Amino acid sequence: GTTTDVGVLTNGFPRESLIAAEIGGVRTNFRMPDIASIGLGGGTIVTPLANGAFKIGPESVGYKLVEQALVFGGDVITVTDIAVAKGLLHLGDITLVQHLSAEWVEKVFAHYVTMVEKVIDKMKTNNDPTPVVLVGGGAILLPTTLQGASQVIRPENAGVANAIGISVAQASGEVDILVALDKHNDLNAGLKEAQNQAIAQAIAIGAQPDSIETIELEAIPLAYMPGNTVRIRAKVAGILGAIPAQ
């Protein structure tokens, strides 16, 4: 109920961020999905201002939505209240938001939809319309058409996507190495070695060997390094099975 997070899926896997991630103020070397977040969720507070103006977030009632939102008998206007008043969803008591001006509700709704459309556009690498998949509890707050989207998909059970994702998660292995190419070590051999190392990693953490697929395998020439050096990246993933005994 606090944020909208937008990422990009390529071949079924999240696009990775090229920027080092900070967790709790500590700079890490962990690879993270490339995610853009904005302060917009079901619990985001909508503050009325003078002359019909308003402010959306970034403050949120969070987990207290069922206590503080208007539709649940509270006294705080939230994005959920706007969606209920708009008729997008049936939640709580709709009579508790009927005092909100229909024109004002429409303005707030259009504004928060535009917020989402802008962050989607920010994450795209070109201007072509792209499919947008809405998941999470807040998926129901958005319409079935969005600017810049070729189609808007809200899968069955979208509200529990986190739990589904955990249950179907795959085991992966990843290798990132530098290889100096010479008469004893050609590019194909380097690629194969990196791929085999990644496969071994995936199997070590429980991937079923016959299910492993190569997700990424690339070689990047490094002109600033001596000895015809290339950077080879390999990533594989497979269905999680039993973790091998140590």
Side-chain angles (χ1 to χ4, degrees):
T2 57
T3 64
T4 293
D5 308 305
V6 180
V8 179
L9 292 176
T10 303
N11 297 325
F13 285 80
R15 184 175 73 193
E16 293 179 350
S17 174
L18 298 177
I19 302 174
E22 287 195 2
I23 301 177
V26 178
R27 184 182 174 91
T28 74
N29 245 351
F30 294 112
R31 293 191 176 277
M32 297 291 183
D34 186 10
I35 298 292
S37 298
I38 56 174
L40 177 68
T44 297
I45 297 173
V46 181
T47 306
L49 302 174
N51 300 319
F54 54 86
K55 173 178 174 287
I56 298 179
E59 299 82 9
S60 173
V61 297
Y63 70 93
K64 293 185 178 180
L65 176 68
V66 294
E67 301 173 13
Q68 298 185 7
L70 293 184
V71 291
F72 294 111
D75 58 0
V76 179
I77 304 175
T78 67
V79 167
T80 294
D81 295 313
I82 299 300
V84 171
K86 171 73 176 171
L88 279 182
L89 69 155
H90 303 286
L91 193 67
D93 186 351
I94 192 173
T95 63
L96 298 177
V97 292
Q98 289 181 342
H99 66 284
L100 299 176
S101 161
E103 180 181 0
W104 187 78
V105 166
E106 186 63 37
K107 287 182 179 179
V108 176
F109 170 75
H111 185 81
Y112 82 65
V113 169
T114 299
M115 289 171 62
V116 175
E117 292 172 339
K118 285 182 177 179
V119 72
I120 290 174
D121 189 59
K122 177 181 177 181
M123 295 298 289
K124 291 164 61 177
T125 56
N126 56 54
N127 291 327
D128 297 335
T130 187
V132 173
V133 182
L134 302 178
V135 294
I140 199 169
L141 302 174
L142 293 169
T144 54
T145 58
L146 291 170
Q147 186 73 29
S150 58
Q151 62 179 135
V152 176
I153 305 164
R154 189 183 291 116
E156 184 180 5
N157 299 319
V160 290
N162 281 355
I164 294 172
I166 292 171
S167 66
V168 302
Q170 294 181 312
S172 66
E174 185 171 358
V175 171
D176 191 336
I177 58 176
L178 298 180
V179 176
L181 303 181
D182 52 35
K183 61 182 180 180
H184 301 295
N185 192 16
D186 62 23
L187 179 58
N188 289 334
L191 289 169
K192 189 64 176 178
E193 175 62 22
Q195 186 179 37
N196 288 339
Q197 288 184 29
I199 290 173
Q201 285 185 13
I203 293 174
I205 63 172
Q208 298 178 16
D210 58 353
S211 71
I212 294 177
E213 296 182 1
T214 300
I215 306 304
E216 180 181 354
L217 184 61
E218 63 177 1
I220 306 170
L222 301 178
Y224 52 85
M225 294 285 287
N228 195 18
T229 302
V230 297
R231 176 187 180 189
I232 297 178
R233 294 181 58 191
K235 184 174 184 178
V236 303
I239 298 172
L240 188 62
I243 298 177
Q246 301 297 320

